[in-house]
Amino acid sequence: MKTGAKILVESLLHEGVNTIFGYPGGTVLPIYDELYDSPLRHILVRHEQAAIHAADGYARASGRVGVCLATSGPGACNLVTGIATAYMDSVPVVAITGQVPTTLLGNDAFQESDITGITLPITKHSYLLNNVRDVGKTVHEAFYIAGTGRMGPVLIDVPKDVQTDVVNEPEAVPEKVSIRGYQPTVRGHPKQIEKAVGMISGAERPLIYAGGGVIASGGDAELIRLAEALMIPVTTTLMGLGAIPSHHPLNLGMLGMHGTQSANYAVTECDLLIAIGARFDDRVTGKLESFAPNAQIIHIDIDPAEIGKNKAVDLPIVGDVGHVLREINKKLTKKTVQGLWNGRIAEWKQQSGEKKVLDTSILTPQYVVRTLSDILDGAGIIVTEVGQNQMWAAQHFSFTRPRQWISSGGLGTMGYGFPAAIGASIACPDEAVIDIAGDGSFQMNIQELATVVQYNIPVKVMILNNQYLGMVRQWQELFYDRRYSYTEMPSVDFVGIAKAYGVPGMCVTDPADVGDAIQTSLAHDGPYILDFRIEREENVMPMVPAGAAINEMILGENR
Amino acid sequence: MRPHTISVLVENRPGVLSRVAGLFTRRGFNIESLAVGTCEEPGMSRITAVVIADDEIIEQVKKQLNKLINVIKVSDITYTEHVAREIALIKVAAEPGSSRAEVMQLADNFRARIIDVGTRTVILEVTGDTGKIDALEKLLHQYGIKELVRTGKIAMPRGSKTISSKK
Ligand SMILES: Cc1ncc(C[n+]2csc(CCOP(=O)(O)OP(=O)(O)O)c2C)c(N)n1
């Protein structure tokens, strides 16, 4: 005889889960009681939004499904932003919520909310369990759905009576999940692959545009193989950072709104764009008609719904990016160096001074990120908040591998970074995990300082503190005549706040102290906070104004 | 933009209808009609939705519908030769005397059945394609329509072609 709660916890262990992030409440008491003497590790966060972000960070850092748990009503509703964040970036997460007993469902009972209804448009799938017999099978299915195909969040809503009901003979859970309406296409169509090989071999100015799908599928090695075989330059999206090392000679860096000049010019002039696990997001394409205007487009993606969604493509290939690239690589024979094309790109790089030495007479965020990058020398995991801090981190950190970059791309969720860093640190305890933060974003989940203290999670928070909601201020400066409407945030004593929670920290105002401060924080065995008082009105450049073509960049000062 | 008739074969699970409908409403277009009921496969339902949109957008929505875990098959039968029907119940003011006789006459012409006769009203049941029901509705307006319900359109390809999941 087993209760639903017991089956649930056992099922999680069966899926190989070792840590869950959660926050208790009345409707999950039976589950919490099971957790009390279960080998499953539970991290008590201070806000449910942090639980889902932490599960998300855990998933992005490890490539495994992240799990969080919350009570019904307010607890479940606090997950919503995090579920949407995971959905937009295709992150495999299973969110478990308590629910009022089935007898009270739909009654506006205390702490009831229709969470499956609320999250319908932001989950890959969801379940409202109404029978204890279904618990095991549902958990197994949920993990399968979350972690296969185009990954995404799955919600399981568990009424309290389902947690306490017992079954004598729990139904056997089939090892292999088979769902009629869900059969992701993994292999690309051989004919299409053949055609792709022809198009790639025949192109004069090919360009690879790689997105988060490359990282999700583990296709990075094949991507680099393809690029190197024909000397094809590569640009990545924000989500694709780390798919190819930043220092790789063929890497042009990020494209789009805050992309590099060479990447954005290359897109504009290429004759073949090979889009791999990328979705032509509007932050990437700018004005659609001017995006890759002279190019034929090959689009490789596991999600057929992404193909042709924003931009018509000449050759669609539906399948797992890693698989498809391997097949293409096997068939590629022509080994030509596109000398002219790469020469032109090198010229752009040169002209824009993309790697030029930074100004160190004042404390700039770019210098802080570069110094961190130099000190870590290829190691570490960078998590960010949202805004300028995110873009400076993306532009100036040198990535060496996939899953080293964790950031909310699709939804752009402020407050994401710190809890996601907690998840990443738990997934990868041997890595230095750094949350590059804005002073605004950090204050959205600052209460998690208590969590990192309780479990001694050695996350380092580096606040690029401009006392503004910087990215919004930048838009106001450029497009609203410097009318800084409600974007100034007076100075906060972050070191003092951290101290009150029991986290040591340091405030840095002099560029000469940056290196030492970072070394000190990394050497500290536990969480640490660095409050960098940066140049207040520094901008992220280059920038493509919303709606402009991506080669129409504002270059501005680029310190 | 034109009306598209989309047939969606789904597993009979809670939430499926809202997921399907949600994908249309999210794009901001109106569902002209929506009819749901069981079908030839046990445990399955067929949803017939009529929506007005561009071909391109419909293509996208079809792909999104296919992504839903409980959706087995999506067919846009707009350009396939098909038969389509809906049923309407129309309660018409029909005072005893000449107007009642006229309404009865009209009903007869449209092969509508009179399924209820009250002292001042009659209820007609009419089956047909959307155009026929629209036409009858227009003609009945002069007598006064008290109440009208339509089932929404259901449709099926002509001949041996099917929209079932079996090939
Ligand atoms: C939850 C949430 N609310 C609002 C926004 C809109 N927004 C985008 S960037 C930004 C400013 C971020 O300021 P800060 O965290 O201080 O970072 P900075 O840009 O200064 O580096 C805001 C308000 C958002 N992305 N997320």
Side-chain angles (χ1 to χ4, degrees):
Chain A
M1 279 233 300
K2 280 179 183 169
T3 63
K6 190 170 184 70
I7 299 171
L8 179 73
V9 171
E10 283 181 359
S11 306
L12 293 175
L13 288 166
H14 182 76
E15 296 300 325
V17 178
N18 51 38
T19 310
I20 63 173
F21 304 88
Y23 205 94
T27 58
V28 281
L29 278 171
I31 300 174
Y32 272 85
D33 193 57
E34 277 304 323
L35 288 174
Y36 192 67
D37 36 33
S38 151
L40 200 56
R41 183 181 183 201
H42 175 277
I43 303 288
L44 175 68
V45 291
R46 296 303 185 269
H47 188 307
E48 288 88 354
Q49 192 187 103
I52 175 92
H53 287 331
D56 170 314
Y58 179 98
R60 294 193 208 214
S62 66
R64 301 168 53 199
V65 178
V67 187
C68 68
L69 173 62
T71 192
S72 63
C77 287
N78 275 344
L79 296 180
V80 169
T81 305
I83 294 174
T85 305
Y87 184 73
M88 291 292 277
D89 289 344
S90 309
V91 180
V93 169
V94 169
I96 300 164
T97 47
Q99 182 56 278
V100 300
T102 48
T103 47
L104 294 180
L105 268 177
N107 252 341
D108 296 331
F110 178 64
Q111 295 197 328
E112 178 185 0
S113 66
D114 172 15
I115 195 64
T116 48
I118 291 170
T119 57
L120 219 53
I122 51 167
T123 46
K124 183 170 173 187
H125 194 53
S126 55
Y127 296 91
L128 169 58
L129 275 175
N130 46 30
N131 190 331
V132 64
R133 295 190 166 282
D134 298 334
V135 175
K137 180 167 178 270
T138 302
V139 170
H140 194 48
E141 257 185 38
F143 274 76
Y144 176 72
I145 291 171
T148 54
R150 178 175 185 170
M151 298 175 196
V154 176
L155 182 118
I156 311 177
D157 199 23
V158 198
K160 193 168 181 181
D161 53 335
V162 174
Q163 298 170 39
T164 50
D165 279 356
V166 289
V167 269
N168 287 326
E169 285 289 303
E171 261 173 71
V173 177
E175 208 37 58
K176 201 173 161 342
V177 181
S178 145
I179 305 167
R180 226 182 124 187
Y182 178 68
Q183 325 231 314
T185 309
V186 174
R187 293 176 189 287
H189 196 285
K191 278 229 179 71
Q192 301 292 89
I193 287 173
E194 200 73 57
K195 274 192 205 152
V197 169
M199 284 167 77
I200 295 170
S201 307
E204 281 174 15
R205 298 185 307 280
L207 177 70
I208 292 173
Y209 149 45
V214 175
I215 289 164
S217 84
D220 50 296
E222 295 292 343
L223 170 83
I224 295 169
R225 235 179 97 197
L226 170 64
E228 288 177 348
L230 295 186
M231 292 285 285
I232 306 174
V234 180
T235 174
T236 75
T237 65
L238 185 77
M239 299 306 296
L241 290 175
I244 176 169
S246 301
H247 279 310
H248 194 290
L250 289 170
N251 189 355
L252 306 182
M254 191 166 77
L255 81 167
M257 182 171 277
H258 293 297
T260 64
Q261 277 171 269
S262 52
N264 286 354
Y265 289 152
V267 175
T268 311
E269 291 199 9
C270 67
D271 67 350
L272 177 69
L273 187 72
I274 312 164
I276 310 177
R279 60 186 180 90
F280 296 82
D281 179 76
D282 51 280
R283 280 288 187 269
V284 160
T285 61
K287 197 162 121 202
L288 262 177
E289 309 86 77
S290 330
F291 184 73
N294 310 311
Q296 288 210 293
I297 299 178
I298 300 175
H299 191 181
I300 308 171
D301 206 294
I302 194 150
D303 180 0
E306 283 306 335
I307 293 178
K309 185 178 84 175
N310 296 333
K311 183 100 185 158
V313 303
D314 301 279
L315 181 72
I317 306 181
V318 176
D320 174 77
V321 161
H323 262 91
V324 172
L325 288 179
R326 189 168 317 125
E327 292 306 308
I328 291 178
N329 283 332
K330 271 195 219 153
K331 297 202 167 67
L332 267 184
T333 46
K334 195 183 118 186
K335 295 225 189 309
T336 324
V337 179
Q338 269 90 18
L340 267 179
W341 172 231
N342 278 311
R344 186 148 171 70
I345 289 173
E347 240 168 68
W348 289 328
K349 277 193 183 179
Q350 187 96 48
Q351 277 167 14
S352 64
E354 272 165 24
K355 289 289 169 200
K356 87 175 180 204
V357 183
L358 298 174
D359 179 357
T360 51
S361 63
I362 43 171
L363 183 56
T364 66
Q366 296 91 335
Y367 176 68
V368 173
V369 174
R370 289 258 191 114
T371 307
L372 172 71
S373 185
D374 290 345
I375 290 172
L376 285 173
D377 192 24
I381 295 176
I382 302 303
V383 188
T384 74
E385 302 291 344
V386 166
Q388 293 180 315
N389 60 87
Q390 179 182 33
M391 291 302 137
W392 286 319
Q395 290 177 336
H396 295 276
F397 193 88
S398 278
F399 299 95
T400 54
R401 61 175 181 88
R403 305 200 178 280
Q404 193 179 11
W405 164 253
I406 296 179
S407 192
S408 168
L411 198 68
T413 309
M414 287 174 72
Y416 168 81
F418 186 33
I422 292 175
S425 182
I426 282 169
C428 307
D430 300 330
E431 291 281 356
V433 177
I434 293 95
D435 173 32
I436 294 182
D439 50 314
S441 297
F442 182 52
Q443 290 184 77
M444 283 208 176
N445 271 316
I446 197 167
Q447 75 288 344
E448 298 309 317
L449 283 166
T451 308
V452 295
V453 169
Q454 183 173 3
Y455 302 99
N456 196 32
I457 300 167
V459 167
K460 321 297 176 193
V461 181
M462 292 183 27
I463 307 167
L464 304 177
N465 186 353
N466 49 18
Q467 296 164 52
Y468 277 116
L469 295 172
M471 187 57 97
V472 183
R473 185 210 56 77
Q474 174 169 340
W475 283 57
Q476 290 172 334
E477 174 187 332
L478 297 173
F479 311 116
Y480 293 87
D481 206 17
R482 286 183 182 268
R483 288 156 53 85
Y484 294 163
S485 180
Y486 303 103
T487 42
E488 184 165 17
M489 284 192 161
S491 177
V492 168
D493 177 10
F494 284 111
V495 175
I497 293 170
K499 188 164 169 238
Y501 275 104
V503 176
M506 199 190 294
C507 186
V508 182
T509 52
D510 186 341
D513 298 335
V514 171
D516 282 350
I518 294 175
Q519 296 279 16
T520 306
S521 80
L522 292 175
H524 179 74
D525 178 24
Y528 203 93
I529 272 207
L530 290 172
D531 178 10
F532 292 100
R533 299 296 171 100
I534 58 163
E535 191 58 18
R536 293 196 64 200
E537 297 191 41
E538 187 61 42
N539 287 332
V540 179
M541 291 296 168
M543 176 177 191
V544 178
I550 64 169
N551 60 340
E552 294 167 5
M553 287 166 277
I554 307 175
L555 298 175
E557 287 172 81
N558 191 12
R559 283 195 273 248
Chain B
M1 297 236 284
R2 56 163 298 166
H4 283 255
T5 306
I6 317 280
S7 172
V8 191
L9 181 67
V10 299
E11 283 181 285
N12 219 335
R13 293 280 177 84
V16 182
L17 185 60
S18 6
R19 277 177 216 273
V20 169
L23 277 179
F24 290 107
T25 45
R26 193 184 154 197
R27 300 254 166 179
F29 44 71
N30 259 328
I31 300 176
E32 290 282 305
S33 90
L34 189 68
V36 201
T38 52
C39 64
E40 75 281 359
E41 288 193 57
M44 301 280 160
S45 292
R46 178 163 279 121
I47 300 174
T48 310
V50 180
V51 288
I52 297 180
D54 286 337
D55 286 10
E56 242 170 72
I57 297 180
I58 287 289
E59 193 54 35
Q60 264 309 306
V61 174
K62 267 172 62 186
K63 286 178 173 177
Q64 294 292 344
L65 285 171
N66 265 314
K67 277 172 73 170
L68 297 177
I69 308 290
N70 300 130
V71 167
I72 307 296
K73 190 162 182 210
V74 184
S75 326
D76 180 355
I77 57 174
T78 313
Y79 302 107
T80 309
E81 248 204 88
H82 64 267
V83 288
R85 287 291 180 273
E86 67 177 305
I87 297 179
L89 299 181
I90 311 171
K91 187 181 289 174
V92 194
E95 297 291 337
S98 72
S99 91
R100 175 166 297 205
E102 279 176 39
V103 169
M104 302 262 198
Q105 183 59 50
L106 254 177
D108 203 37
N109 292 345
F110 278 78
R111 291 175 204 274
R113 296 202 305 150
I114 311 276
I115 54 173
D116 181 66
V117 181
T119 48
R120 330 192 98 130
T121 57
V122 294
I123 300 179
L124 310 188
E125 173 204 302
V126 60
T127 306
D129 60 21
T130 307
K132 172 178 165 187
I133 296 174
D134 288 349
L136 178 60
E137 190 185 325
K138 212 165 143 203
L139 286 170
L140 289 173
H141 261 301
Q142 53 183 313
Y143 304 100
I145 294 178
K146 299 277 179 206
E147 197 175 339
L148 184 146
V149 273
R150 294 168 74 151
T151 54
K153 177 170 161 181
I154 54 170
M156 197 177 268
R158 285 185 185 279
S160 53
K161 197 172 162 42
T162 68
I163 45 176
S164 83
S165 64
K166 295 174 195 123
K167 297 262 155 69

